[in-house]
Amino acid sequence: MRGTAGSGGADSVNRFTDQLFGDLRRIDQRRWAHAYVLGLLTTPGKKSMRRLAAAASDSPTASQALHQFINESPWDWTPVCDRLRHWIEGRVRPRAWTIAPVVLPKRGEKSCGVHRRFVPHTGRTVNCQVGTALFMSTDIGDFPCSWSLLLPEPWARGDLRERARVPDGAVARPESPVLSLVELLVRPSRHEPVPVVVGVDGYLDVRPLLHALIRARRDFVVAVPDGLPLAPFPAARPVRVCPRAAARMLDGPSGRERGARGLVRNQLVQLPFTRDEQRPQPFRLFAGPGTRAGGLGRLWLTNIVDRPVGELMRYADRTAAVGETVNLLERGFGLRDFEGRSFPGWHHHMTLVSAAFAYSRLTTAADGYGALDMPGDWPREDDFDRSLDLLPA
């Protein structure tokens, strides 16, 4: 194998990938993990399998071997993601965990999970895969730590599912990928728990997600649709009938505060209950300024009711910062360049992209990692600065 890294660069990537992939059973798996990460870091332009293989080896069979490692080799990406998360936590402190959708346009219909859907932030219907990603949001940016692929109903059973090698545990329900990412947050961490920020409205029903976060006893800030049924808080008894749509809860003149970006509306609310023995729990519904009727922006619901609304808005702004990170992943790390069609292959690629991104941002000479010769079109630090300083210190 060879690499295009500068002095010490390939060796430094090798030390990094040994920490993440050192438990893979076979030597060739560990070798190709190193090759893939090195290729993502040093290959300019499109990160095709052929070009990534050329960054690692002169062998004419390298591309085939790398394709085999990504698409066919049965290694489990979940422990690798856990080790990546712990590696990042050892270098930066999380301020929030942000879960956001990532839309990957695709040609054809054979890639796992591909379907046509309306994409809210573009206002267009596209042929795509939709992934959800768990980002560690820090003072120096957002780092993807784990991924889950949305499986629409056609992929729930039959030939499509079998051909894509979708494991039995992957459930074809829209909320399942996000719930699986929430479950990761109960695992041990180096740091105190921080809020979970979720911006998947328009892609799935947020109610199962809200109940999962409540059961997990996590602080959260979740984007919710206008029509989510809510009730005022406090109420004399649990509300079982006549809830109001979330957007209507902010119609009144009360609960308006002037924030850094304009008028912020907020209201204490509760979720409608179905059993008398459940005690009402307060939540805060809030929205910043927007372009919709009445100047209302995106709606957010949180169980953090003892902090200023301005601070809550900074958590909500994490989804915009994550969008900047996704742009960097697409432009510089081959996020959209996966060439396979299998469910495991997709997760393998996303895991390796996340590893390369974390390495590029968090390794220093003090860590014992050498410098890499990055290609000229690789995103530079000033591209990253726009997503910083959105959270309080």
Side-chain angles (χ1 to χ4, degrees):
M1 281 194 177
R2 65 175 175 82
T4 59
S7 175
D11 289 341
S12 74
V13 178
N14 199 38
R15 291 194 292 275
F16 169 70
T17 55
D18 278 349
Q19 294 182 58
L20 267 59
F21 300 93
D23 288 344
L24 297 186
R25 289 183 299 171
R26 300 201 308 265
I27 293 176
D28 64 303
Q29 290 176 321
R30 301 192 291 272
R31 186 169 66 242
W32 287 115
H34 164 72
Y36 205 87
V37 171
L38 181 63
L40 291 172
L41 287 166
T42 59
T43 303
K46 184 176 175 63
K47 309 296 190 289
S48 67
M49 201 71 72
R50 178 183 59 80
R51 301 188 74 197
L52 294 178
S57 174
D58 292 320
S59 170
T61 63
S63 178
Q64 181 180 353
L66 199 59
H67 186 279
Q68 170 78 17
F69 167 70
I70 295 297
N71 288 293
E72 304 296 335
S73 185
W75 55 276
D76 187 356
W77 58 89
T78 302
V80 177
C81 290
D82 286 343
R83 288 191 286 272
L84 175 62
R85 178 167 59 90
H86 284 291
W87 186 87
I88 298 171
E89 283 183 321
R91 286 156 176 77
V92 286
R93 177 187 171 191
R95 298 296 188 178
W97 295 99
T98 304
I99 298 175
V102 178
V103 178
L104 305 169
K106 303 293 288 187
R107 293 189 180 93
E109 301 177 349
K110 296 183 179 180
S111 296
C112 183
V114 73
H115 62 292
R116 290 188 63 79
R117 78 150 52 227
F118 178 77
V119 179
H121 73 274
T122 65
R124 298 171 55 197
T125 298
V126 298
N127 197 62
C128 63
Q129 294 170 314
V130 177
T132 49
L134 174 66
F135 293 83
M136 184 190 300
S137 295
T138 77
D139 289 337
I140 62 168
D142 300 270
F143 297 88
C145 297
S146 191
W147 296 80
S148 190
L149 180 63
L150 186 148
L151 293 173
E153 186 60 33
W155 296 88
R157 61 187 63 84
D159 292 342
L160 284 178
R161 186 180 180 95
E162 184 176 352
R163 186 167 62 239
R165 297 177 26 241
V166 178
D168 293 340
V171 181
R173 289 200 305 266
E175 68 274 12
S176 296
V178 179
L179 295 177
S180 68
L181 295 179
V182 169
E183 291 174 2
L184 297 177
L185 298 177
V186 303
R187 298 181 182 180
S189 170
R190 296 171 181 260
H191 304 284
E192 292 295 317
V194 292
V196 182
V197 181
V198 188
V200 295
D201 53 319
Y203 292 88
L204 52 84
D205 184 354
V206 300
R207 286 173 293 186
L209 171 63
L210 290 170
H211 290 298
L213 288 166
I214 293 169
R215 288 194 301 271
R217 300 181 183 276
R218 296 299 303 238
D219 287 345
F220 60 79
V221 179
V222 176
V224 298
D226 290 1
L228 181 73
L230 296 171
F233 183 92
R237 57 190 177 89
V239 177
R240 292 171 294 178
V241 294
C242 299
R244 298 173 63 190
R248 293 188 58 196
M249 300 293 292
L250 298 178
D251 282 345
S254 61
R256 301 191 177 199
E257 300 181 21
R258 182 64 58 180
R261 293 192 288 110
L263 192 66
V264 179
R265 308 181 196 187
N266 74 98
Q267 182 74 40
L268 283 180
V269 298
Q270 61 178 307
L271 296 175
F273 291 122
T274 58
R275 296 182 306 200
D276 287 336
E277 65 269 19
Q278 290 181 292
R279 293 184 177 180
Q281 178 180 350
F283 299 90
R284 188 174 299 279
L285 177 70
F286 66 96
T291 59
R292 299 187 298 170
L296 195 64
R298 196 177 189 183
L299 302 185
W300 297 86
L301 188 71
T302 180
N303 59 349
I304 307 171
V305 296
D306 58 349
R307 299 187 194 175
V309 175
E311 182 176 332
L312 299 177
M313 283 300 304
R314 287 194 288 273
Y315 283 116
D317 286 341
R318 284 294 0 152
T319 54
V322 161
E324 296 287 343
T325 299
V326 171
N327 288 337
L328 292 179
L329 293 168
E330 291 174 349
R331 288 163 41 210
F333 296 89
L335 186 73
R336 291 190 178 188
D337 294 340
F338 174 57
E339 298 173 352
R341 296 173 177 174
S342 72
F343 183 92
W346 187 90
H347 286 85
H348 289 163
H349 173 75
M350 294 302 191
T351 299
L352 288 152
V353 166
S354 301
F357 182 78
Y359 175 92
S360 73
R361 295 300 177 183
L362 294 177
T363 54
T364 66
D367 295 316
Y369 294 94
L372 288 171
D373 291 335
M374 298 299 182
D377 63 349
W378 192 83
R380 299 297 176 181
E381 202 66 32
D382 56 350
D383 294 320
F384 203 54
D385 289 342
R386 289 175 291 173
S387 65
L388 307 186
D389 301 328
L390 292 177
L391 289 182

